[in-house]
Amino acid sequence: MRKVFIHLPQPSLKGSVSVEEALYRRRSVRSFGSDGLTLQEITQILWAAYGKNAYGKKTAPSAGATYPLDIYLVAGNVEGLTPGLYQYNSENHILTMIRSGDIRDALAQAAYQQEFIGFAPATIILVAQFARTTHFYGKRGERYVFIDTGHVGQNVSLQTEAMGLGTCMIGAFDDKKVSDLLTVKGDVVYLMPVGRI
Ligand SMILES: Cc1cc2nc3c(=O)[nH]c(=O)nc-3n(C[C@H](O)[C@H](O)[C@H](O)COP(=O)(O)O)c2cc1C
């Protein structure tokens, strides 16, 4: 089957909310408005998660620059995106469609029926490739992968807040059910449903 690529718009490097204000106002949001997200909005959040920075690296630090995370997007109500599962490629700033179909409710069920996940227009999913980091750091690399994950989560959290949108970090989910649903390589470590407040 021919792969579907979506070339994303450029992210903005200026916002109207300061880092200090975003830190002050950030909180977990578990109830979302019914309106969807624009492609520009989801692009901004994907870029904040793991996009390219001014130095050719990424917006989040990574132990030994091993970048163990793959960034996936479950889109359900995003302008210009067919509902489905996508992977964000930060090198080329594109989304690759993995498969079509709205899996938001199935994702909510796999996360111990946290129903609000099913109502979010989109969910960002962090998937770890532990070997990228443990290859260099051995057992200690496992710790580094989780620390890296926290950095990316915080980037998403603050960017979302600065845009007047909401998210909630989700660590409680059934590993096997989520893995069976996504069928992607690696270990799913974090889900971040994003939507309007
Ligand atoms: C590692 C981690 C896992 C979390 N998992 C969940 C979750 O599965 N469901 C949920 O509703 N909130 C989850 N949260 C959000 C926390 O409950 C929330 O951050 C905490 O209550 C503090 O509230 P605040 O984010 O509004 O400041 C998680 C947060 C972290 C850091």
Side-chain angles (χ1 to χ4, degrees), residues 75-185:
N77 189 2
V78 180
E79 176 194 73
L81 292 184
T82 303
L85 176 66
Y86 297 81
Q87 183 170 11
Y88 176 55
N89 176 329
S90 63
E91 265 319 295
N92 305 321
H93 195 56
I94 58 171
L95 282 177
T96 307
M97 184 189 257
I98 307 295
R99 77 187 72 87
S100 63
D102 191 345
I103 59 167
R104 290 178 296 166
D105 187 52
L107 189 61
Q109 300 315 311
Y112 303 118
Q113 295 83 44
Q114 299 193 69
E115 304 291 349
F116 64 92
I117 298 170
F119 294 110
T123 292
I124 291 171
I125 302 183
L126 307 189
V127 177
Q129 308 297 340
F130 279 90
R132 280 184 208 153
T133 307
T134 56
H135 176 75
F136 288 99
Y137 296 108
K139 179 94 184 126
R140 195 169 185 83
E142 292 173 13
R143 173 197 300 226
Y144 292 162
V145 171
F146 292 120
I147 296 173
D148 275 32
T149 302
H151 291 305
V152 174
Q154 187 71 348
N155 282 7
V156 168
S157 197
L158 292 178
Q159 177 69 80
T160 303
E161 179 57 45
M163 293 165 70
L165 302 172
T167 188
C168 179
M169 304 291 125
I170 304 288
F173 51 86
D174 183 313
D175 291 337
K176 183 167 181 332
K177 284 187 181 161
V178 171
S179 166
D180 287 350
L181 179 66
L182 302 182
T183 59
V184 297
K185 182 175 166 277

